[in-house]
Amino acid sequence: RLYSMFSAPPGQELEWSEDAVEGMSRFLRRVFRMATRDGLREGDPRAEAATPAMKALDVRLHETIHRVTVDLEQRLHFNTAIAAIIELMNDVQDAAPIERPLAPQDAGVVRRVVEGALMMLAPFAPHACEELWERLGHETPLSSTPWPAADPAKLVKDHVVVAVQVNGKLRGQVTLPLDAPEDVALAAARSDENVARHLRAAAVVKVVHVKNRLLNIVVRPA
């Protein structure tokens, strides 16, 4: 079921692949391991994120809720919705690897994110998600639990990734505060090793700055 909805959008022919089915099976096994890991059930899902990694993970949860909700309700794109959930679980693994003991101060946020993933995954893998929901201590069935809502405040980005070009060729990317002015963007670009290498022995002729998107530095040989 999960493979069928992931591998082809509605209306398109599905080419069966045993390897791809096994890939979905591996993903579900990873979800099982993550949802049943030691210390997760003891976490308070209302807990505030205490570290930058947990804060970033919490934001990713709300971004994923928004993305999956739009994919299901407006676009009917099941495959991209499932892909977003897979990406979210990859982020959980990166922030709190299952191979390491779960830090008590992280357990609440990780539980909140895993439970959110189960809510979103339930339409595609209902039986597995119901079992994991119960194992996490919930008495109300997942099928009777309201769909998660994204916090609009968590969807407002305070930083953006800006592409840096030198003479129209991509030479790097820099992370900047939202709506950063040109001088801040240029200073950050100059601190990037690859960009700086292309600016050596060159004179800046012009700077084209598209706020929050692009910085193009036009140079000529000095």
Side-chain angles (χ1 to χ4, degrees):
R1 175 187 173 102
L2 185 61
Y3 161 73
S4 297
M5 288 187 280
F6 174 71
S7 297
Q12 288 193 14
E13 185 174 327
L14 172 65
E15 183 176 344
W16 189 257
S17 167
E18 293 291 342
D19 290 340
V21 172
E22 176 57 28
M24 287 293 100
S25 178
R26 287 196 302 269
F27 167 65
L28 285 178
R29 291 197 295 269
R30 183 151 54 91
V31 172
F32 259 85
R33 292 196 303 272
M34 189 65 72
T36 57
R37 66 187 300 181
D38 291 342
L40 186 70
R41 181 167 173 168
E42 290 71 31
D44 183 355
R46 299 165 298 181
E48 292 291 330
T51 65
M54 289 298 108
K55 291 178 181 178
L57 185 60
D58 196 34
V59 169
R60 286 288 290 126
L61 169 63
H62 289 273
E63 291 175 342
T64 305
I65 291 173
H66 175 73
R67 178 177 166 187
V68 171
T69 302
V70 170
D71 280 346
L72 294 184
E73 294 184 353
Q74 300 180 21
R75 304 174 65 219
L76 294 179
H77 284 190
F78 304 146
N79 55 328
T80 54
I82 296 170
I85 300 168
I86 293 174
E87 291 170 11
L88 178 62
M89 294 306 295
N90 289 340
D91 291 335
V92 175
Q93 172 64 17
D94 291 341
I98 198 169
E99 297 81 10
R100 303 176 191 170
L102 181 60
Q105 67 270 23
D106 295 342
V109 175
V110 175
R111 175 172 177 167
R112 179 164 66 245
V113 175
V114 170
E115 288 187 348
L118 292 177
M119 293 179 192
M120 292 182 281
L121 189 61
F124 310 106
H127 301 93
C129 292
E130 283 287 1
E131 179 177 342
L132 292 173
W133 190 253
E134 182 178 344
R135 289 195 188 189
L136 284 168
H138 293 280
E139 296 181 359
T140 302
L142 182 52
S143 57
S144 300
T145 302
W147 184 258
D151 182 352
K154 298 286 179 66
L155 301 179
V156 178
K157 293 184 178 293
D158 56 1
H159 284 76
V160 292
V161 177
V162 174
V164 180
Q165 297 178 343
V166 178
N167 287 346
K169 294 184 178 180
L170 181 66
R171 300 303 185 187
Q173 293 181 324
V174 292
T175 300
L176 301 173
L178 190 67
D179 295 330
E182 181 180 302
D183 59 333
V184 173
L186 188 58
R190 289 182 180 278
S191 68
D192 181 276
E193 182 178 348
N194 191 52
V195 174
R197 182 166 61 86
H198 287 87
L199 296 180
R200 293 190 190 109
V204 176
V205 176
K206 182 181 179 182
V207 175
V208 178
H209 180 223
V210 181
K211 192 173 289 186
N212 300 325
R213 292 181 57 194
L214 173 71
L215 182 73
N216 182 33
I217 307 171
V218 181
V219 301
R220 59 175 173 78

